[in-house]
Amino acid sequence: MSVAFTKENDRDGTEANLQDRPISPHPNLVTSAGLAALEAAVEEARAAVLAAKAAGEDATGIAYARAARDLRYFQARRASAEVQPAPPADGRVHFGSRITIDREDGRRQTYTIVGEDEANPSVGTISYVSPMARALMGKGVGDVAIVAGHEVEIIAIG
């Protein structure tokens, strides 16, 4: 049916029927910075819900539905967050370690291993459940790991 033959509220109701954001089955390990980011995201989502209500939206409005969905997600992630201590200085890769690797193609990259919600490879953070982090966990400087079929060598752990 053409949108031209529907009422505005009908279209909004359909659009606002958003599914919840998926929650990872992995433990929700976070750094202290990750916990602060989750708390900020809860407050931001809460403010967006209030803003949508102030704009006259109800539960069928798309802005309200998106904000409410995000609020549910971030509240759940905040509730399940397990703050991890700083990694031990034992020369091994752990959650929270900052590692520098050399790739076979000559690229040198540095990443910090963090929780899923705080991971952003473009700024140098990777999730502890990522293939690279899993391949590097427990290894030390000079060790080689296979990531996506290619060798990477750990040259520094901080």
Side-chain angles (χ1 to χ4, degrees):
M1 175 190 301
S2 170
V3 173
F5 295 104
T6 62
K7 293 185 289 186
E8 188 70 25
N9 288 344
D10 289 342
R11 188 172 67 243
D12 286 347
T14 301
E15 290 175 343
N17 188 14
L18 301 175
Q19 291 192 11
D20 279 341
R21 293 174 65 173
I23 302 282
S24 171
H26 302 287
N28 187 14
L29 307 182
V30 298
T31 64
S32 57
L35 180 64
L38 282 173
E39 290 170 346
V42 167
E43 291 309 312
E44 185 178 316
R46 189 173 283 132
V49 166
L50 294 174
K53 283 182 180 179
E57 285 205 20
D58 60 13
T60 63
I62 191 71
Y64 177 86
R66 284 184 180 148
R69 175 191 63 186
D70 288 349
L71 181 58
R72 287 188 304 275
Y73 175 80
F74 289 118
Q75 284 177 327
R77 295 300 281 174
R78 170 58 187 98
S80 66
E82 299 175 30
V83 179
Q84 299 300 293
D90 64 358
R92 298 279 169 210
V93 176
H94 300 278
F95 183 96
S97 293
R98 183 170 178 80
I99 52 169
T100 300
I101 59 168
D102 278 343
R103 293 184 175 268
E104 288 178 325
D105 63 8
R107 289 182 293 156
R108 178 168 286 178
Q109 297 174 305
T110 300
Y111 294 107
T112 301
I113 299 174
V114 298
E116 292 177 278
D117 290 318
E118 54 190 315
N120 183 350
S122 67
V123 297
T125 56
I126 59 172
S127 168
Y128 80 100
V129 298
S130 70
M132 180 178 294
R134 287 182 177 189
L136 297 174
M137 289 289 196
K139 295 193 180 307
V141 173
D143 288 346
V144 173
I146 304 298
V147 178
H150 299 281
E151 284 188 0
V152 298
E153 180 182 356
I154 301 170
I155 61 166
I157 301 172

